[in-house]
Amino acid sequence: MDYHSVFENHKEQDLLGRYITLKNIEPLLGKHLFKNKIDVLEKSVLEKSIYGYQTGTGEFKILLWSQMHGNESTTTKALFDLFNYLDSDVEEVQKWKDKFTFLFIPILNPDGAELYTRENANKIDLNRDFMNLSQPESQLLFSQFSSFKPDFCFNLHDQRTIFAAGKTNNPATVSFLAPSFNKECAINTTRQKAINLIVGINMELQKHIPNQVGRFDDVFNRNCVGDTFQQLGVPTVLLEAGHFQNDYEREKTRKFIFISLLRGFSLLYENDIVDNKIDDYLKIPQNNICFYDIVYRNVKINYDNSIIITNFAAQYKEEIIENQLFFNAYISSVGDLNEIYGHLEYDAQGGLFHDGVDYFPNIDQKADFIIGKSKIFVNGLLIK
């Protein structure tokens, strides 16, 4: 399959950027009503609609949900790209619909999506609520899991720009986890299926983003939905959309999520998830925190009345201002920054830092400053 062409032909052009809410997806759901079952499954804490999107008639059932964390929207975009593909008449889609029944929940946490926060309106992380099931959104997902009785689950998230694929300077553009079902992180038949599927997807992704796929630590947490569903005997894959070079809107990353889902469905259709692929799974490099958004090296600063040359870093905070998302850069770290990388790096060549008040980059201050006599930085970026 030419995944790139399939993506370009089915990309949902009316769903762009990182701030994705019900206002963005509700008009798009309307155009899919004629071929699919779309219902309001439940209401959120603030009485916003949580939609279910069901298609296919097969016996093998697949449950997928996105934006469990409201500010993690890339996989929602990829789902709508997928909806366009599943509405097409290509032979592969028809085969999938004969074998599979899909149930998608495209924004599980609409309140968090509107507020652009990880938590729901009650400030609860839904992915830490699967022992208590205290929130209507958590209760809904568990209820759908219980009634739909899926054979496979996809738990779709975004991850921060801080992660590299192992001990490299490559961003972890896509990361996976086959969640554990017990404290021993054992591997049973259920978890083995998730592992094998991840290995198959990774083999395809290496053709498109070589050395930019990571793997999360598998420490067991019964409060997490993936660990819970795995414990209940349903293979579950955690899929995280991460950073691709110069792609803060994650318009490129959405393509790799789309490819991951298509390849995953193909492998499930072919039943190519039965071999023991643990060694290949463990070869996927573990996510490593070693990135800042911007690193400034060889900067002269005034530290405790002494002039020294050192490095500092800035990180973007994603902030909603008047219903628009802004990436605002703030100073995050000062020091050697050994084995730390920047998605963007500047060599100050010994230029003196000053921000109009101080000659030291203070943590949490806005990244607006001058280096030397003429290099002006606004929001972390060199403008002059």
Side-chain angles (χ1 to χ4, degrees), residues 16-20 73 116 158 248-250 318 325 327:
L16 302 171
R18 295 282 292 279
Y19 187 38
I20 304 297
S73 59
Y116 202 75
D158 274 54
Y248 281 90
E249 298 292 342
R250 298 200 171 167
E318 299 160 23
L325 177 62
F327 292 86

Side-chain angles (χ1 to χ4, degrees), residues 273-289:
I273 57 168
V274 294
D275 294 335
N276 185 332
K277 298 178 180 177
I278 296 171
D279 289 344
D280 291 328
Y281 177 71
L282 295 176
K283 288 177 183 176
I284 299 173
Q286 195 161 316
N287 274 7
N288 179 34
I289 298 175

Side-chain angles (χ1 to χ4, degrees), residues 44-179:
S44 68
V45 172
L46 298 180
E47 295 296 313
K48 290 184 173 63
S49 297
I50 303 173
Y51 289 93
Y53 183 119
Q54 187 168 314
T55 192
T57 58
E59 293 184 1
F60 192 98
K61 297 178 179 180
I62 304 176
L63 174 63
L64 309 90
W65 61 96
S66 68
Q67 272 178 276
M68 173 175 245
H69 296 141
N71 59 353
E72 299 179 2
S73 59
T74 306
T75 56
T76 297
K77 294 189 292 187
L79 287 185
F80 277 84
D81 304 332
L82 178 62
F83 295 163
N84 289 338
Y85 182 60
L86 292 178
D87 271 359
S88 69
D89 295 324
V90 302
E91 182 179 359
E92 183 173 50
V93 166
Q94 298 311 308
K95 289 181 178 179
W96 286 355
K97 287 187 174 182
D98 288 340
K99 179 167 183 174
F100 301 137
T101 296
F102 297 97
L103 175 58
F104 304 93
I105 305 175
I107 298 184
L108 179 65
N109 180 7
D111 298 338
E114 185 76 25
L115 297 169
Y116 202 75
T117 181
R118 178 182 175 90
E119 300 166 334
N120 76 342
N122 287 332
K123 300 189 180 301
I124 298 296
D125 183 337
L126 301 178
N127 203 29
R128 301 294 185 273
D129 190 42
F130 270 75
M131 285 189 71
N132 295 330
L133 292 174
S134 66
Q135 302 302 301
E137 299 91 349
S138 311
Q139 294 164 11
L140 163 69
L141 181 56
F142 191 76
S143 172
Q144 292 298 312
F145 173 85
S146 300
S147 60
F148 185 62
K149 294 181 171 55
D151 298 284
F152 218 99
C153 291
F154 288 84
N155 184 11
L156 307 176
H157 290 266
D158 274 54
Q159 64 184 11
R160 297 167 62 196
T161 59
I162 60 176
F163 292 108
K167 301 290 185 178
T168 71
N169 62 348
N170 299 319
T173 302
V174 179
S175 293
F176 294 97
L177 174 65

Side-chain angles (χ1 to χ4, degrees), residues 74-355:
T74 306
T75 56
T76 297
K77 294 189 292 187
L79 287 185
F80 277 84
D81 304 332
L82 178 62
F83 295 163
N84 289 338
Y85 182 60
L86 292 178
D87 271 359
S88 69
D89 295 324
V90 302
E91 182 179 359
E92 183 173 50
V93 166
Q94 298 311 308
K95 289 181 178 179
W96 286 355
K97 287 187 174 182
D98 288 340
K99 179 167 183 174
F100 301 137
T101 296
F102 297 97
L103 175 58
F104 304 93
I105 305 175
I107 298 184
L108 179 65
N109 180 7
D111 298 338
E114 185 76 25
L115 297 169
Y116 202 75
T117 181
R118 178 182 175 90
E119 300 166 334
N120 76 342
N122 287 332
K123 300 189 180 301
I124 298 296
D125 183 337
L126 301 178
N127 203 29
R128 301 294 185 273
D129 190 42
F130 270 75
M131 285 189 71
N132 295 330
L133 292 174
S134 66
Q135 302 302 301
E137 299 91 349
S138 311
Q139 294 164 11
L140 163 69
L141 181 56
F142 191 76
S143 172
Q144 292 298 312
F145 173 85
S146 300
S147 60
F148 185 62
K149 294 181 171 55
D151 298 284
F152 218 99
C153 291
F154 288 84
N155 184 11
L156 307 176
H157 290 266
D158 274 54
Q159 64 184 11
R160 297 167 62 196
T161 59
I162 60 176
F163 292 108
K167 301 290 185 178
T168 71
N169 62 348
N170 299 319
T173 302
V174 179
S175 293
F176 294 97
L177 174 65
S180 296
F181 65 91
N182 63 10
K183 293 180 180 179
E184 293 73 29
C185 301
I187 297 174
N188 60 2
T189 302
T190 299
R191 191 176 181 214
Q192 183 73 66
K193 291 178 180 178
I195 285 171
N196 293 347
L197 188 71
I198 289 169
V199 170
I201 296 172
N202 179 54
M203 289 176 64
E204 181 61 38
L205 286 178
Q206 290 303 319
K207 301 174 187 176
H208 309 282
I209 44 171
N211 304 313
Q212 289 187 209
V213 178
R215 173 174 55 88
F216 266 103
D217 184 275
D218 62 354
V219 172
F220 177 70
N221 186 341
R222 175 60 178 79
N223 292 307
C224 295
V225 59
D227 304 58
T228 300
F229 289 176
Q230 204 94 286
Q231 190 177 66
L232 292 172
V234 178
T236 301
V237 166
L238 175 74
L239 198 161
E240 300 260 359
H243 185 66
F244 185 82
Q245 291 86 342
N246 302 313
D247 181 36
Y248 281 90
E249 298 292 342
R250 298 200 171 167
E251 292 302 312
K252 294 180 180 177
T253 299
R254 74 189 284 181
K255 175 170 68 174
F256 304 122
I257 300 301
F258 177 83
I259 291 171
S260 298
L261 292 173
L262 262 59
R263 184 58 185 150
F265 300 155
S266 293
L267 291 166
L268 289 172
Y269 182 85
E270 297 160 5
N271 197 31
D272 190 14
I273 57 168
V274 294
D275 294 335
N276 185 332
K277 298 178 180 177
I278 296 171
D279 289 344
D280 291 328
Y281 177 71
L282 295 176
K283 288 177 183 176
I284 299 173
Q286 195 161 316
N287 274 7
N288 179 34
I289 298 175
C290 64
F291 266 109
Y292 284 103
D293 289 315
I294 313 171
V295 170
Y296 311 86
R297 300 198 185 274
N298 304 311
V299 185
K300 187 181 292 183
I301 67 171
N302 185 336
Y303 178 69
D304 199 21
N305 295 319
S306 296
I307 299 298
I308 65 171
I309 292 180
T310 188
N311 310 306
F312 71 95
Q315 193 73 9
Y316 289 121
K317 292 182 182 179
E318 299 160 23
E319 299 177 327
I320 299 295
I321 302 172
E322 296 181 352
N323 292 317
Q324 283 189 291
L325 177 62
F326 293 88
F327 292 86
N328 292 323
Y330 294 86
I331 307 301
S332 300
S333 183
V334 181
D336 290 336
L337 301 181
N338 293 329
E339 299 183 0
I340 294 295
Y341 306 103
H343 293 298
L344 184 63
E345 296 205 2
Y346 290 100
D347 185 351
Q349 298 179 327
L352 178 65
F353 172 98
H354 58 107
D355 60 9

